[in-house]
Amino acid sequence: MGSVEPPAEPPVEDLPEELVEPVLVAVPPAASSDPGAEPVEPATVPTTAGRRAAARTQERNPLAQASPAQWLGALQTAAREVFGEQWEPQLARLLAFWRRRLTGDYPVDEYGFDAEVTERFLLAALRPLARSWFRIEVRGAENIPEVGGALVVSNHSGTIPVDGLMTMVSVHDHTGRFLRPLGADLVFRLPVVSALARKSGATLACQEDAERMLRGGELVGVWPEGFKGVGKPYAERYKLQRFGRGGFVSAALRTGVPIVPLAVVGAEEIYPMIGNVPALARLLGLPYVPITPLFPWLGPLGLVPLPSKWLLEFGEPIRTDDYEPGAADDPMLVFDVTDQVRETIQQTLYRLLMDRDSVFG
Amino acid sequence: MAADARTVLVTGVSRDLGRRFARRIAAQPGVRRVIGVDVVPPRGDIGDVSFVRADIRNPVIAKVIAREDVDTVVHMSVIATPGSTGGRGPMKELNVIGTMQLLAACQKAPSVRRLVVKSTTTVYGASSRDPAMFTEDMEPRRPPRSGYAKDVAEIEGYVRGMARRRPDVRVTMLRCANVIGPHVQSPITSYFRLPVVPVVLGHDARLQFLHESDLMAVLHHAVDAEVPGTFNVAGDGLLTLSQAVRRLRRPMVPMPGFAVGGVGSVLRSARAADFSPEQLAFLTYGRGVDTTRMRDELGFSPSYSTAEALADFGAGLSPTGGRGARVVDELAGRLPAPAPTPALHGSDLDG
């Protein structure tokens, strides 16, 4: 795994990680600089002569003896240690960032998308998983339009929709664009998940939102198989499920944006679902409760995904702007285009599976 | 009837916004007389407005309209909380029966040419199945079964019925987002005035606000512009609940939805705030409305954005939290050579 470390990251992506970590790291150096400051005090104590008792009462609280100047000096050293020579602007930038977050002084768009937190935290946190754990290999990223609305249509698998998150990271790393996922209403009903989904740019998978986003020139991601795809048993891996009613196609037709088919290989093996507890699922209001070789037997450890090798291939965009107006209301045409997209993804999946040496290869 | 001799009837003048709007419209040239109607007399100064103490729930209102030769009716007496009416029963009666009587009176009076109804975006409800932005043509995903939202849905139904039966009356319905401002007393403002704000754990509602002065302006605009139809009215942009609370420098206490409901009922008995079920749904899932039609057809643009409206509301509040931000400020102030933050701010977002 370690051998496939990313050789060189673009500097743009380095920035967030640098800015995230110092928050956690900046405290220990400051704390560890206290012992560093202490050696100074014993040096001053002996010079105040041999009245040891008096010196001892002062020594009770060695921290209080450090003068503000010493503290500042220690902090500066620590900051230089963490941020390098350019520590002042770096630290100022970090503080400005925290100030913005704490005072709510950041923009969100009408879907609740918070670009700053998505880029610096969410994607930064997912990136190591994408690069080192799943070793994602992206093909055909040039098929994603650089500007304007487009609809990325992908297969869905993996018991927990990790594939959506990995696609978001990969798209952002290869094109610099944010993929705006369309999520099931369950996503927006669950606490924590719903807040994170909105912040990371997702919105509800419904005709109104899909068209609104596409008209607004966003890069929208959709997984038409839905829960039928994510929650299918391991035995049916890489067999595409039904693509719903083709609502995504009519949304693309109405807005005239290209459809980019995406085939994801690897997500099927992260949590191989060998069983389901429908009664518990009904009780909890969930679409399924999975049983995998590791879950629930190993408890939280069973939630660690298996490190399968992933391949993502973006296919050639399918144009939808040369149909006549009203094509979106023609069910025959919508089904044809849906089948075309589905077939493209299915064939790509087969091809990618042949390309992959082994599941964990 | 000549436009320069208008007689305007405003309902709900006992409350602050109604009273201020009545005064504002009375000061306009072109308006001969403004009649303010309510069950209880207004508390503040009503200036040139003639107050008629009448209950819109009984047919007396029809006599007032006929006698005064009213040509414009502005209906502002739809209330969101039981408050002073003394319970949900009287509130529903005032809202629904009151509107029915008022509309019946308008329908019978040949002098009435213009009807402006202040409705609310609550009519769209709030749920996890909502589209991000409601347009005027969209229906709530779950029809409201009780409370304020149901009252408003019924009121809107009666208003549409009235518009069908009297096509010569220009009916404008304004679905206003939550009105906020230094003088507004409403469920949402008393919520934000709480020293510690309970929020629903794991959800971050999207909110839109309308500044009180923009509410006045849009009602005024609707009376003048004579554009019939239904319009969403809200300030530009959205804020999330956590963002709004942080901007007001208030501490947040996340707790599960049912607990927030429980705290709400305790606060209600203490008369500090009121959490109705639809309010709780709103604070959980939030709501956004599309205001394209307000700009393009009604021709109105609010002077305060959602963020500015909140800032103006917050200016009158003393912050109870925001310690974290102060600590950061302190640290930034101690930096030996503070870097120009505004410039970094911009480059930060780009980078």
Side-chain angles (χ1 to χ4, degrees):
Chain A
M1 253 178 291
S3 61
V4 212
E5 274 298 307
E9 291 176 5
V12 187
E13 294 149 14
D14 273 353
L15 193 63
E17 287 176 34
E18 264 181 22
L19 281 166
V20 175
E21 277 164 16
V23 187
L24 306 169
V25 185
V27 184
S32 65
S33 64
D34 303 337
E38 267 176 280
V40 185
E41 294 147 25
T44 56
V45 173
T47 53
T48 52
R51 300 169 308 176
R52 287 208 70 91
R56 194 155 291 194
T57 49
Q58 284 196 332
E59 265 181 349
R60 276 273 164 74
N61 186 4
L63 292 182
Q65 284 201 352
S67 69
Q70 278 174 318
W71 274 104
L72 210 58
L75 274 174
Q76 280 179 8
T77 320
R80 199 166 290 127
E81 204 65 27
V82 175
F83 297 102
E85 276 312 304
Q86 285 295 302
W87 69 275
E88 278 173 27
Q90 284 274 23
L91 185 60
R93 201 189 301 207
L94 179 74
L95 289 175
F97 169 75
W98 277 106
R99 189 172 197 289
R100 277 204 302 286
R101 300 312 302 183
L102 288 170
T103 53
D105 186 18
Y106 47 87
V108 296
D109 78 355
E110 57 189 31
Y111 307 95
F113 173 50
D114 185 339
E116 192 175 51
V117 91
T118 302
E119 194 166 7
R120 289 195 168 175
F121 287 91
L122 231 68
L123 295 184
L126 291 170
R127 198 164 285 126
L129 192 65
R131 294 200 174 157
S132 310
W133 194 253
F134 297 130
R135 293 145 288 141
I136 294 182
E137 194 180 313
V138 177
R139 302 177 181 179
E142 67 281 357
N143 287 321
I144 303 169
E146 279 170 18
V147 283
L151 186 63
V152 175
V153 181
S154 169
N155 61 316
H156 211 9
S157 56
T159 309
I160 295 175
V162 180
D163 51 353
L165 301 174
M166 292 301 124
T167 309
M168 284 168 72
V169 177
S170 307
V171 166
H172 186 256
D173 287 359
H174 283 84
T175 64
R177 294 191 72 175
F178 289 104
L179 183 75
R180 310 292 301 264
L182 300 180
D185 73 310
L186 176 70
V187 169
F188 298 96
R189 210 176 65 214
L190 295 175
V192 184
V193 177
S194 89
L196 279 176
R198 284 255 174 236
K199 281 198 202 323
S200 64
T203 194
L204 184 73
C206 64
Q207 199 76 32
E208 295 91 345
D209 281 13
E211 285 177 24
R212 195 181 173 85
M213 267 195 176
L214 290 171
R215 280 213 181 85
E218 303 285 354
L219 182 65
V220 179
V222 68
W223 292 263
E225 292 171 274
F227 290 116
K228 295 190 301 294
V230 215
K232 64 178 178 294
Y234 186 61
E236 288 176 35
R237 59 192 180 278
Y238 299 116
K239 282 193 197 118
L240 283 188
Q241 304 293 303
R242 195 164 59 83
F243 263 22
R245 283 164 289 181
F248 71 94
V249 170
S250 42
L253 283 170
R254 279 208 189 93
T255 50
V257 302
I259 296 174
V260 181
L262 165 65
V264 178
V265 160
E268 296 274 16
E269 292 92 4
I270 58 170
Y271 301 108
M273 183 158 146
I274 51 174
N276 181 11
V277 196
L280 187 60
R282 260 200 305 282
L283 194 71
L284 296 175
L286 299 172
Y288 51 84
V289 172
I291 293 177
T292 75
L294 303 180
F295 183 85
W297 328 116
L298 295 185
L301 212 61
L303 291 174
V304 176
L306 299 182
S308 53
K309 165 79 181 168
W310 287 38
L311 298 169
L312 263 64
E313 183 167 323
F314 294 90
E316 281 204 22
I318 298 164
R319 283 184 60 182
T320 60
D321 54 352
D322 46 3
Y323 293 100
E324 58 215 61
D329 301 320
D330 177 0
M332 220 38 226
L333 177 75
V334 170
F335 277 127
D336 278 354
V337 180
T338 311
D339 273 348
Q340 186 192 347
V341 177
R342 189 170 178 275
E343 217 29 55
T344 311
I345 298 175
Q346 184 69 74
Q347 294 309 321
T348 317
L349 281 177
Y350 289 145
R351 189 160 45 74
L352 289 176
L353 281 170
M354 301 288 281
D355 279 8
R356 191 171 66 158
D357 298 334
S358 75
V359 171
F360 302 108
Chain B
M1 180 167 292
D4 55 308
R6 292 180 102 158
T7 306
V8 184
L9 180 119
V10 182
T11 66
V13 288
S14 73
R15 289 173 316 135
D16 190 51
L17 290 172
R19 178 179 63 83
R20 279 166 55 201
F21 174 68
R23 283 198 63 176
R24 177 181 168 137
I25 200 95
Q28 205 204 351
V31 170
R32 187 160 52 94
R33 191 162 146 73
V34 176
I35 302 149
V37 180
D38 214 322
V39 236
V40 287
R43 276 185 290 269
D45 181 15
I46 55 168
D48 294 336
V49 179
S50 5
F51 174 71
V52 176
R53 184 167 182 162
D55 192 340
I56 58 171
R57 279 171 288 188
N58 63 47
V60 175
I61 193 74
K63 289 190 188 128
V64 176
I65 291 178
R67 193 183 63 215
E68 303 284 347
D69 221 16
V70 170
D71 57 289
T72 303
V73 175
V74 182
H75 183 32
M76 291 180 70
S77 105
V78 182
I79 56 168
T81 47
S84 58
T85 56
R88 173 71 190 125
M91 165 185 159
K92 187 183 171 75
E93 201 169 287
L94 183 68
N95 281 347
V96 180
I97 311 289
T99 304
M100 280 177 81
Q101 287 286 0
L102 179 72
L103 293 177
C106 292
Q107 196 183 319
K108 271 187 286 180
S111 63
V112 175
R113 289 271 166 274
R114 185 93 192 89
L115 173 67
V116 177
V117 179
K118 187 211 160 269
S119 182
T120 159
T121 53
T122 307
V123 77
Y124 296 116
S127 80
S128 58
R129 294 160 184 262
D130 287 349
M133 299 298 264
F134 279 101
T135 61
E136 286 84 348
D137 307 318
M138 292 180 195
E139 301 270 315
R141 290 296 157 111
R142 292 194 186 100
R145 280 188 299 272
S146 63
Y148 179 46
K150 184 162 191 234
D151 288 1
V152 179
E154 288 179 1
I155 288 166
E156 288 207 348
Y158 294 131
V159 173
R160 277 191 291 272
M162 147 92 192
R164 270 198 306 277
R165 284 188 292 273
R166 278 285 302 270
D168 59 317
V169 177
R170 292 205 192 85
V171 180
T172 308
M173 202 142 54
L174 302 173
R175 288 181 180 156
C176 302
N178 293 69
V179 179
I180 203 166
H183 308 105
V184 181
Q185 276 295 344
S186 73
I188 198 84
T189 56
S190 48
Y191 171 72
F192 282 127
R193 283 194 181 104
L194 291 173
V196 176
V197 181
V199 297
V200 180
L201 180 75
H203 288 276
D204 206 357
R206 292 167 307 124
L207 316 173
Q208 273 175 324
F209 300 121
L210 181 68
H211 192 265
E212 49 181 299
S213 67
D214 280 326
L215 173 70
M216 298 289 129
V218 74
L219 284 165
H220 199 152
H221 180 87
V223 166
D224 284 350
E226 312 232 331
V227 186
T230 303
F231 303 97
N232 293 333
V233 182
D236 294 340
L238 284 108
L239 290 174
T240 63
L241 178 60
S242 61
Q243 217 180 346
V245 176
R246 280 179 195 154
R247 285 183 182 208
L248 295 174
R249 300 283 177 100
R250 272 166 149 58
M252 249 184 300
V253 189
M255 45 175 88
F258 58 86
V260 176
V263 169
S265 52
V266 170
L267 288 172
R268 180 163 47 220
S269 40
R271 293 194 176 268
D274 196 352
F275 283 64
S276 52
E278 66 263 11
Q279 170 94 338
L280 186 59
F282 175 60
L283 293 174
T284 309
Y285 302 110
R287 181 192 311 127
V289 294
D290 180 280
T291 53
T292 317
R293 212 187 269 183
M294 168 190 86
R295 292 176 178 285
D296 297 349
E297 286 179 38
L298 188 63
F300 176 78
S301 45
S303 53
Y304 286 82
S305 71
T306 290
E308 288 161 355
L310 183 81
D312 189 47
F313 166 71
L317 293 182
S318 51
T320 56
R323 186 169 300 155
R326 278 202 298 276
V327 169
V328 170
D329 278 349
E330 187 92 340
L331 277 174
R334 293 267 168 104
L335 271 185
T341 334
L344 285 166
H345 186 129
S347 68
D348 257 3
L349 287 179
D350 300 339

